Amino acid sequence: MRIFIFKKSLELASRWIFWMFYVIAIGIGAVITVFLGNALTAQTIYIPTDVEELLLAQRFYNSPDCFAYQDDIRDYIKVIDLTKFGDGFTTACFPTSNVKYAFSLSLDVPGLRMFPTTYNFGPINTNNWIESFSAKEKVEEVTIIDGFGDKYEAKLNIRINDVK
Amino acid sequence: MTKRGQLVLVALILAIIGVFVFLIFQGISKAYASGEVALKAAIARDISLLIDTIYAYPYDMQITYNEDLSNFVVEILQGNVNIHSASYVAVSRGQLQGSDLTSARYSFAPLNDNPGFILDKPAKMVFQKQSGKLTITP
């Protein structure tokens, strides 16, 4: 077998500088392949950001592990237990995770028995929250129940940051 | 001047590395071109969103995820859903063996639990939440 027809090339291959460029070329090739593949894949399976934000935000007012009101019989959707608001937010409700959204919550409550004027509770932030002017804001109309069992209509302000 | 014997060795090393690199690139390209990578990424996102939805739902529930995943290993751990090809990764005594260069990952936000499940080639998955506790079974 004539493997020496490129004798000079093979001689070059025995030098360290060849291997240096060889490794760099292979590395660049691999990075381009994976980058292009990932970009095309991400485009194919794109999830609208609003959908994921909504799914994550719903737990704040629907889940009893967050602030949803719960009595002996059932849990109440969109009813916030004011005595729970803020408690265990970053441990039980939204612990540190790798999701790409951060949340900051505040509650505007008009005319509580103990506070006759509009009172603002919060803000309470998830661990990954970074204050930003580009944060989006959603307002959810909710009912709150205070420590006396009184009900009020209130606004839950949910600020959302894309952190990745 | 390099000797003839040394050149044979260099040629052989080059050939072996060339074959190795070719096989890796061919494997990666095949995974992308066949849609397997996209499918894995889509499944990872799908399952993550499903778990986020379950956490946002206040009552007990059960959902059957009917996508046939018998070509994959599904790992749900530390707030991440990882999808590996069953060709490269096996499950032995509840632990993953091997690695998949094109595995897909997407994150979800757990509540106060920290679900950890490894499902080997599940033909379907059943997500169940009872008294706030999430279980996932094949």
Side-chain angles (χ1 to χ4, degrees):
Chain A
M1 187 173 66
R2 286 177 59 83
I3 61 170
F4 297 114
I5 52 173
F6 304 115
K7 195 176 169 194
K8 285 191 176 171
S9 315
L10 282 172
E11 275 189 7
L12 179 67
S14 61
R15 299 187 184 183
W16 67 269
I17 195 152
F18 165 81
W19 292 104
M20 204 175 77
F21 281 108
Y22 185 76
V23 168
I24 291 171
I26 294 291
I28 290 172
V31 167
I32 289 173
T33 306
V34 172
F35 178 79
L36 279 178
N38 283 341
L40 292 170
T41 304
Q43 210 173 20
T44 316
I45 53 168
Y46 169 73
I47 300 169
T49 51
D50 285 358
V51 173
E52 195 171 359
E53 287 167 7
L54 176 69
L55 288 178
L56 287 168
Q58 279 180 339
R59 68 175 61 191
F60 302 134
Y61 46 84
N62 283 349
S63 170
D65 286 301
C66 290
F67 315 122
Y69 181 77
Q70 185 179 34
D71 62 17
D72 295 337
I73 301 165
R74 52 170 286 206
D75 307 321
Y76 292 81
I77 290 173
K78 280 202 171 186
V79 179
I80 287 179
D81 185 342
L82 194 58
T83 59
K84 280 164 70 177
F85 191 72
D87 279 353
F89 183 49
T90 54
T91 52
C93 176
F94 204 98
T96 303
S97 67
N98 296 319
V99 293
K100 59 181 183 178
Y101 300 103
F103 296 88
S104 175
L105 309 184
S106 61
L107 200 55
D108 291 334
V109 188
L112 282 173
R113 184 192 292 185
M114 47 188 165
F115 306 106
T117 54
T118 299
Y119 196 80
N120 184 265
F121 292 86
I124 52 171
N125 305 328
T126 53
N127 288 328
N128 56 349
W129 176 261
I130 298 164
E131 197 57 51
S132 163
F133 291 111
S134 61
K136 281 190 274 183
E137 185 159 348
K138 287 185 178 183
V139 179
E140 284 291 335
E141 303 284 340
V142 294
T143 302
I144 63 158
I145 296 183
D146 67 10
F148 301 101
D150 294 336
K151 290 180 189 171
Y152 303 86
E153 296 307 310
K155 286 183 170 61
L156 178 66
N157 304 305
I158 305 172
R159 296 180 68 215
I160 306 162
N161 244 338
D162 193 339
V163 289
K164 280 186 185 168
Chain B
M1 191 78 181
T2 310
K3 287 183 182 171
R4 193 181 174 86
Q6 287 174 309
L7 291 183
V8 171
L9 188 64
V10 170
L12 277 175
I13 292 172
L14 273 179
I16 291 167
I17 292 175
V19 168
F20 190 65
V21 169
F22 173 79
L23 287 176
I24 289 177
F25 271 77
Q26 194 222 20
I28 292 175
S29 310
K30 193 178 162 191
Y32 277 114
S34 66
E36 188 187 299
V37 174
L39 181 59
K40 283 193 280 191
I43 294 165
R45 289 180 185 212
D46 216 13
I47 293 174
S48 295
L49 292 186
L50 185 57
I51 293 174
D52 283 330
T53 309
I54 292 170
Y55 279 134
Y57 187 73
Y59 310 119
D60 292 348
M61 71 181 320
Q62 181 174 306
I63 293 177
T64 303
Y65 186 75
N66 266 327
E67 184 75 28
D68 182 5
L69 305 181
S70 48
N71 293 325
F72 304 107
V73 173
V74 181
E75 181 192 21
I76 297 167
L77 204 62
Q78 294 174 338
N80 295 308
V81 176
N82 301 295
I83 308 293
H84 311 282
S85 282
S87 321
Y88 301 112
V89 172
V91 181
S92 171
R93 295 176 189 171
Q95 299 289 318
L96 289 184
Q97 308 283 332
S99 68
D100 177 8
L101 287 175
T102 59
S103 65
R105 167 181 286 194
Y106 205 73
S107 301
F108 62 92
L111 281 172
N112 54 357
D113 59 348
N114 194 6
F117 301 96
I118 295 177
L119 291 93
D120 190 15
K121 304 175 193 169
K124 66 174 172 48
M125 294 171 71
V126 179
F127 295 78
Q128 190 170 33
K129 190 170 85 165
Q130 207 153 24
S131 306
K133 187 169 171 55
L134 176 69
T135 51
I136 304 169
T137 49

